[in-house]
Amino acid sequence: RRTEIVQTVENVTYEDMILEEDVVITISHLGFVKRISLNEYRTQNRGGKGITGAVTKDEDFVEHLFIANTHDYILIFTDRGKCYWLKVYAIPTGSRISKGRPIINLIDIESGEKIKAVLPVKEFDENHYIVMATEKGLIKKTNLSAFSHPRKSGIIALNIREDDQLIEAKLSDGDRKVLFVTAQGKAIHFHESQVRPMGRNATGVKAIRLRHGDKVIAMVVANGEMDLLTISEFGYGKRTSISEFRQQTRGGSGIIAMKITEKTGQLVSALGVYDNQDIVIITVNGIINRQNTINISRYGRST
C-alpha cells in the first residue's frame, strides 16, 4: 500500500477552503453589492456592443467597479469617520443581470451612517496610506497597516467633530499630489508630504482655509496627467488641467477652480478624469445622464 498514515492534525479554517481567484465587484449608487466571476466577462473584439454588466433600477447605477481577490478585504468608510471591513468572499455571488444585496446587510453599520468611500485592499503594508478629507477642510493621513485588525463593529478611522463629516477616503503611496475643492469654487493643490502620518484617533490638520458658508465638496488624489472635472448645481461643468493649479502650502485659501455665478450655482462635485472616460451624473430628481469626458470642453481655472 502507498497510503501513509500520519498523526499530524492541522487546523483548517473556513477561509482556507475558499478558492483564491480574482472576481469583479460592483457596488451601485444605492448600495447594492455583488461579486461576479471574471469568466463571465469574456474577451471581445474591438467594435462590439459589449454585454450587460449589471441591472439596476431606474434611479440607480454602478458607482464602483473593481477587480479583487476573494481573500482581499474591502474597507468601507462612513460620514462619521468609521471604517468597516468586508472580506471579498463574504460578498454574495451574483450574475451579470442580478441586482446584488444591500451592503448595509453585510456590515454592522450604525443607524444614520452613510457610506462615503470604498477601498479594495490586498495587503496592509507599511508603504501605503489612507488619505481622508472632511467637509470642514481637514485632511488626515494614516498608515494602511493601522487598519490591519478587523473588528465586526468597525473602528474609528478619523475623529470627527460634531459639525463635520468625512467626505472622501483614498489610497496613496505617499508621493501623490492632493487637491481640495470647495462649493464656492476654490481649490488648493499641495503635495501629500505636507501631511504627516497620524494615528487612527487623530482629527487631522487643516488642508484649506474656508470662507464663511463654504465647505469642501471633493478631494482628488492626482495620478499622472489628470484633468479636474468640476460640476455646478445648475448643471455647468468643465475640465481644467491639474497643471494649471500651482502647488501651494497646505492650509491656505486656495485659488479659483471655477467662477461661481447665479447662473452656475455653487459647485457640487469634482473629480480627477482622463480622456475617454464615461461619467454618470444624477440629479436630485433621479435623472441620470451618462457622457464621455472627451465631450466636455477644457477651460482655464477662472472661467
Side-chain angles (χ1 to χ4, degrees), residues 35-285:
R35 63 182 166 106
I36 311 163
S37 171
L38 265 178
N39 294 331
E40 290 210 31
Y41 292 92
R42 67 183 187 274
T43 302
Q44 295 178 281
N45 293 327
R46 179 186 62 80
K49 69 175 185 178
I51 58 175
T52 302
V55 172
T56 55
K57 296 189 290 185
D58 289 344
E59 66 273 20
D60 202 7
F61 57 89
V62 174
E63 189 162 20
H64 304 278
L65 186 150
F66 48 86
I67 295 174
N69 189 277
T70 46
H71 285 232
D72 289 353
Y73 280 100
I74 294 176
L75 298 184
I76 301 162
F77 295 84
T78 71
D79 58 339
R80 298 314 307 155
K82 290 196 71 175
C83 174
Y84 297 88
W85 287 263
L86 186 59
K87 269 287 192 179
V88 170
Y89 64 68
I91 298 171
T93 302
S95 67
R96 288 186 291 105
I97 60 174
S98 65
K99 185 173 68 172
R101 281 192 50 193
I103 197 170
I104 59 173
N105 291 350
L106 303 176
I107 56 176
D108 289 341
I109 190 170
E110 294 182 9
S111 176
E113 281 189 284
K114 297 177 181 177
I115 294 172
K116 290 293 183 177
V118 180
L119 299 176
V121 175
K122 184 174 293 290
E123 188 178 352
F124 294 90
D125 59 49
E126 298 282 347
N127 302 319
H128 288 84
Y129 301 88
I130 293 176
V131 182
M132 293 162 274
T134 78
E135 192 175 71
K136 296 293 185 181
L138 298 180
I139 185 172
K140 182 185 171 189
K141 182 170 76 171
T142 300
N143 198 287
L144 182 58
S145 61
F147 295 83
S148 60
H149 300 293
R151 290 184 197 163
K152 190 175 181 182
S153 59
I155 61 168
I156 295 173
L158 171 70
N159 187 21
I160 289 279
R161 296 169 182 168
E162 194 65 35
D163 61 342
D164 202 359
Q165 66 169 320
L166 180 78
I167 62 163
E168 188 61 272
K170 298 280 191 183
L171 200 60
S172 169
D173 58 9
D175 192 30
R176 298 288 184 87
K177 295 167 185 175
V178 179
L179 280 95
F180 271 57
V181 184
T182 78
Q184 294 181 8
K186 287 298 193 76
I188 191 165
H189 182 197
F190 57 89
H191 197 276
E192 182 188 337
S193 59
Q194 294 187 33
V195 183
R196 62 176 177 81
M198 306 171 204
R200 287 193 296 100
N201 288 310
T203 304
V205 293
K206 185 173 289 187
I208 186 169
R209 187 167 67 248
L210 298 173
R211 294 181 292 185
H212 179 70
D214 203 1
K215 64 180 180 181
V216 175
I217 54 138
M219 175 186 71
V220 175
V221 177
N223 184 10
E225 297 300 317
M226 269 183 177
D227 287 336
L228 181 71
L229 172 63
T230 46
I231 304 170
S232 76
E233 63 179 323
F234 296 141
Y236 286 81
K238 66 172 180 175
R239 285 190 296 157
T240 304
S241 173
I242 285 180
S243 62
E244 289 202 29
F245 295 85
R246 70 177 187 276
Q247 287 193 54
Q248 297 177 274
T249 302
R250 173 185 62 77
S253 299
I255 56 179
I256 294 174
M258 181 173 174
K259 275 192 174 177
I260 300 302
T261 66
E262 290 185 5
K263 183 179 178 182
T264 64
Q266 293 197 337
L267 291 187
V268 292
S269 186
L271 61 156
V273 298
Y274 300 98
D275 281 345
N276 265 333
Q277 276 187 306
D278 276 0
I279 62 164
V280 175
I281 302 169
I282 183 168
T283 74
V284 291
N285 291 331

Side-chain angles (χ1 to χ4, degrees), residues 18-29:
I18 303 294
L19 175 67
E20 284 201 46
E21 61 174 339
D22 287 339
V23 293
V24 176
I25 305 296
T26 66
I27 304 174
S28 77
H29 181 67

